[in-house]
Amino acid sequence: MALTKASYSMINGAPLNVKDFGAVGNGTTDDTAALTAAAAALQSNQTLYFPNGTYLISYQGTPYSSVYGNVVMDFDNLSDLTFVGEGATIKVNNHNITTYGGLRFANFKSCKRVRIEGFTFDMTFTGTNTSGSFYPFCGAITGIDDYADGQTQSELNGDFLIQDCEFNLYHPWGQYVTTSAPYSGDSNNGYKLYSVFLSGPYLGSTYEAQCRNVIIQNCTIKKGHNGYGFWLWAWNNVNVLNNTAEDWVAKRSSVSGSVLGAGTAFIRYMQFLCSGILIQGNNFRAKPCSERTTAGFEGSAIFAAVDTNQTGDYSFGKSVIANNTVVLGNGDSANSLSDYGAEIFVYGQVIIESNAFDGSSESTNAYQGTCVYYGAEAVGGDGTGSLVVNGNTFGKFCSYLNNISISNGSNIGEYQRRCKSLIVTNNISMSQLQYFLDMSSNSTATNLGVRQVVINSNTIDGTYNTVFNSANTNSRAINYVSTNANDEAVICNNLILNKYYGFFASSGAPSNTPTIYNNTMIGVTANSILYDGFSAAKNGVAVSNGTTTVLVITGANTPEGAVTAPVGSLFLRNDGSTSTTLYVKTSGAGNTGWTAK
């Protein structure tokens, strides 16, 4: 909740009231000039108070007077600022970007200890920029520092708290438009539509030359919003806590209204040598896929994207995504777009833990998606990334959604693979359809895989999937692919229920057979294990000493001529009798050589 009038006045001295500068807040009077005057009067260690009301803002002055657009309240080199909205709504009515350029409510540069709370942002925009000379920024709150190295902390933003705010930003074309006249090499300069965008100096190579410390908490992205959510760019110690996205879908447009690939995330973090992000306790609901049926112009739903696009950004930071509820929308078949939960393209440590992922029960316009996606490919730098996926629940309606996907793209060398260690433990997949874990590739390049892999103590249940039955040949619990002889994988202690394949593992060339043991298969339709040229029957356990794998299998009828397994394997015949209940594989690599005991 926002602070009360009695409590806010105790934060940092007597507050300034925007109504003392002429603001009306009646929803019909344009309050832009009054709010600009109030901002100009605000000094360090002061509070700016917005009483209950609706404050209309618009562009003032010369159109396109700034490369980044007009700002109603612009702050530079101030500290200990507090902004309190006691039921205050900031409203923009159909601001035309074509005519007026960008428009933002508040921007901060070189400011310290900033607190913003209690505002509702209701902002609509139309039009687009077609000039290569401007880059219209539109929206609510931005903090933009110079993109340069060598800055000191006194020249950088830091210690921001944004809480208890609501955002409903809308443009009929979505978050941004690409143009044929790019500004500064970026063709996405038609406009950008921001809820919160805090951007630090991405060239800052030391901790002292980077922005740090931000908390965004207890905020809501309202139904109908289609701008950016929370975008943090080159900041240390980012915390995004207990926020809600009511009905998220992200659009972006190529030339005034057609869809351009997928959208961007509710929470987006660009690492740039910074120390990481905590995304915790948030609630995310995607727009249902049945409502994304406008062919050529809808978007995808992404909960959190943690990225880097700086070569060599490999040794810094930990990113934690924990205790969130993420309900995806089964993609958008009208535009062949996928939904994603956590989408990771980053070096350093990544922990995805104790989240509840789910999808939707509907199938109209359903396409596909992935709850956890890690792009392990990288060009340049020595990848040292690790990914831990532990204790998550993938719910009944993840039927169209792969639970975990590791994509290797087009690597050109083993040490350029971003992810070197993958740990997948203690997860529960309640209705897994296709892959619980897919480690394959969209490329035929060499050096695919992850250097060290442990897949342990997961429950993977295909019983209740709502789309295909268990006879679907793509229904594989674990799909392991690696083409590098140095890679090592251990797959153990997993419970796999009612799948077509329990494992589909391919070592490629050269060989690096995964170690598979103590896994339990129940009701697997075809083969429980298929890798390195042999397969096992549908119900069984693979046992390994780390070098040699044998199988313990149960089933009806004699295994002779029917069940392929390595020497030393056991077959427990459930319809046998004296001397035909236990079979031992005593010779051969195929389906013969079984001896009844």
Side-chain angles (χ1 to χ4, degrees):
M1 299 295 293
L3 298 176
T4 65
K5 188 172 183 179
S7 62
Y8 78 76
S9 63
M10 301 302 294
I11 296 174
N12 48 20
L16 303 181
N17 189 322
V18 295
K19 290 195 172 182
D20 292 338
F21 294 84
V24 179
N26 62 4
T28 57
T29 302
D30 191 324
D31 288 316
T32 305
L35 297 184
T36 299
L42 191 69
Q43 300 297 309
S44 293
N45 198 41
Q46 284 190 316
T47 294
L48 189 58
Y49 171 58
F50 290 69
N52 183 279
T54 298
Y55 300 85
L56 298 185
I57 61 173
S58 64
Y59 100 99
Q60 299 288 304
T62 304
Y64 289 104
S65 59
S66 165
V67 165
Y68 293 106
N70 294 278
V71 182
V72 175
M73 299 170 53
D74 207 0
F75 304 96
D76 189 356
N77 199 29
L78 297 176
S79 61
D80 298 288
L81 303 177
T82 301
F83 302 84
V84 174
E86 194 169 36
T89 296
I90 307 300
K91 190 173 182 64
V92 175
N93 284 324
N94 298 320
H95 173 87
N96 190 318
I97 297 168
T98 306
T99 303
Y100 302 123
L103 176 64
R104 286 169 284 161
F105 169 65
N107 181 67
F108 300 88
K109 180 180 179 182
S110 303
C111 292
K112 308 289 184 300
R113 296 176 297 281
V114 175
R115 178 173 178 166
I116 302 169
E117 61 181 279
F119 291 91
T120 293
F121 296 94
D122 183 5
M123 313 176 95
T124 61
F125 299 84
T126 59
T128 184
N129 171 47
T130 58
S131 167
S133 301
F134 304 101
Y135 204 145
F137 283 7
C138 297
I141 300 167
T142 58
I144 301 174
D145 278 294
D146 292 336
Y147 301 154
D149 200 358
Q151 294 170 286
T152 65
Q153 264 300 301
S154 63
E155 300 173 299
L156 299 171
N157 284 324
D159 299 291
F160 274 48
L161 172 62
I162 301 170
Q163 63 183 4
D164 299 308
C165 292
E166 294 184 349
F167 300 89
N168 189 357
L169 278 63
Y170 181 77
H171 191 295
W173 299 336
Q175 302 192 84
Y176 59 81
V177 168
T178 62
T179 74
S180 58
Y183 169 70
S184 192
D186 189 345
S187 61
N188 298 326
N189 73 304
Y191 59 85
K192 289 283 181 70
L193 196 62
Y194 299 111
S195 300
V196 175
F197 176 53
L198 300 180
S199 176
Y202 69 86
L203 296 178
S205 58
T206 65
Y207 183 75
E208 288 71 24
Q210 296 168 332
C211 294
R212 64 188 72 166
N213 305 332
V214 60
I215 298 173
I216 302 174
Q217 64 183 8
N218 302 324
C219 294
T220 300
I221 303 290
K222 302 297 290 183
K223 180 179 174 65
H225 174 104
N226 69 0
Y228 280 89
F230 310 129
W231 187 358
L232 295 311
W233 171 293
W235 274 66
N236 286 287
N237 189 28
V238 172
N239 299 270
V240 185
L241 312 173
N242 304 319
N243 301 285
T244 296
E246 289 188 342
D247 198 46
W248 182 267
V249 65
K251 301 177 182 181
R252 54 176 171 158
S253 177
S254 56
V255 191
S256 304
S258 61
V259 73
L260 176 65
T264 56
F266 165 50
I267 302 167
R268 189 179 188 191
Y269 178 65
M270 302 295 288
Q271 187 181 47
F272 289 109
L273 294 173
C274 293
S275 64
I277 185 170
L278 171 63
I279 300 172
Q280 180 171 282
N282 300 281
N283 287 281
F284 175 88
R285 179 185 182 272
K287 184 177 182 179
C289 57
S290 63
E291 298 179 26
R292 289 185 257 170
T293 55
T294 305
F297 192 59
E298 279 289 348
S300 65
I302 304 171
F303 168 61
V306 181
D307 303 323
T308 183
N309 58 6
Q310 181 167 318
T311 299
D313 187 1
Y314 60 87
S315 61
F316 294 84
K318 179 172 73 173
S319 301
V320 178
I321 302 173
N323 296 298
N324 302 284
T325 298
V326 180
V327 179
L328 301 177
N330 297 341
D332 174 11
S333 66
N335 299 289
S336 300
L337 297 177
S338 297
D339 284 5
Y340 294 94
E343 187 182 44
I344 311 297
F345 293 91
V346 73
Y347 298 92
Q349 305 174 55
V350 180
I351 299 173
I352 301 175
E353 187 168 48
S354 301
N355 300 284
F357 294 98
D358 213 338
S360 170
S361 61
E362 63 178 20
S363 58
T364 302
N365 197 39
Y367 188 61
Q368 63 186 18
T370 301
C371 298
V372 177
Y373 181 89
Y374 190 109
E377 74 279 1
V379 177
D382 177 9
T384 56
S386 65
L387 173 63
V388 176
V389 184
N390 177 66
N392 302 281
T393 301
F394 301 94
K396 176 179 178 180
F397 296 112
C398 287
S399 295
Y400 282 89
L401 312 173
N402 291 330
N403 295 163
I404 306 165
S405 293
I406 311 296
S407 178
N408 296 91
S410 54
N411 299 289
I412 58 174
E414 175 187 358
Y415 292 100
Q416 291 179 321
R417 292 181 298 182
R418 198 176 270 124
C419 188
K420 290 298 190 291
S421 178
L422 172 66
I423 311 296
V424 180
T425 53
N426 303 308
N427 300 284
I428 298 174
S429 180
M430 297 177 65
S431 64
Q432 197 273 334
L433 167 66
Q434 189 165 349
Y435 298 117
F436 164 70
L437 173 62
D438 180 21
M439 291 183 57
S440 59
S441 174
N442 56 10
S443 168
T444 59
T446 59
N447 294 315
L448 305 176
V450 175
R451 180 68 179 85
Q452 297 174 324
V453 177
V454 175
I455 306 166
N456 181 29
S457 300
N458 302 284
T459 297
I460 306 165
D461 190 350
T463 305
Y464 303 108
N465 81 72
T466 58
V467 185
F468 298 112
N469 60 41
S470 58
N472 185 281
T473 56
N474 285 324
S475 179
R476 298 164 178 168
I478 297 170
N479 190 36
Y480 171 83
V481 178
S482 174
T483 61
N484 193 288
N486 294 322
D487 291 348
E488 301 171 347
V490 177
I491 305 172
C492 61
N493 302 316
N494 300 285
L495 172 61
I496 300 176
L497 305 171
N498 297 311
K499 296 293 296 171
Y500 195 86
Y501 290 121
F503 304 118
F504 187 93
S506 172
S507 64
S511 176
N512 59 5
T513 303
T515 298
I516 302 177
Y517 67 92
N518 289 351
N519 299 284
T520 300
M521 322 284 177
I522 300 174
V524 175
T525 302
N527 297 317
S528 62
I529 301 173
L530 177 60
Y531 74 95
D532 286 342
F534 73 83
S535 61
K538 59 186 177 182
N539 295 315
V541 176
V543 181
S544 174
N545 63 4
T547 303
T548 303
T549 299
V550 297
L551 306 171
V552 180
I553 308 156
T554 183
N557 304 315
T558 177
E560 183 66 18
V563 177
T564 299
V567 171
S569 297
L570 304 178
F571 184 89
L572 307 178
R573 181 175 175 180
N574 57 23
D575 63 349
S577 59
T578 303
S579 300
T580 59
T581 299
L582 173 63
Y583 292 78
V584 178
K585 188 68 158 48
T586 56
S587 63
N591 60 10
T592 61
W594 290 99
T595 302
K597 299 292 184 179

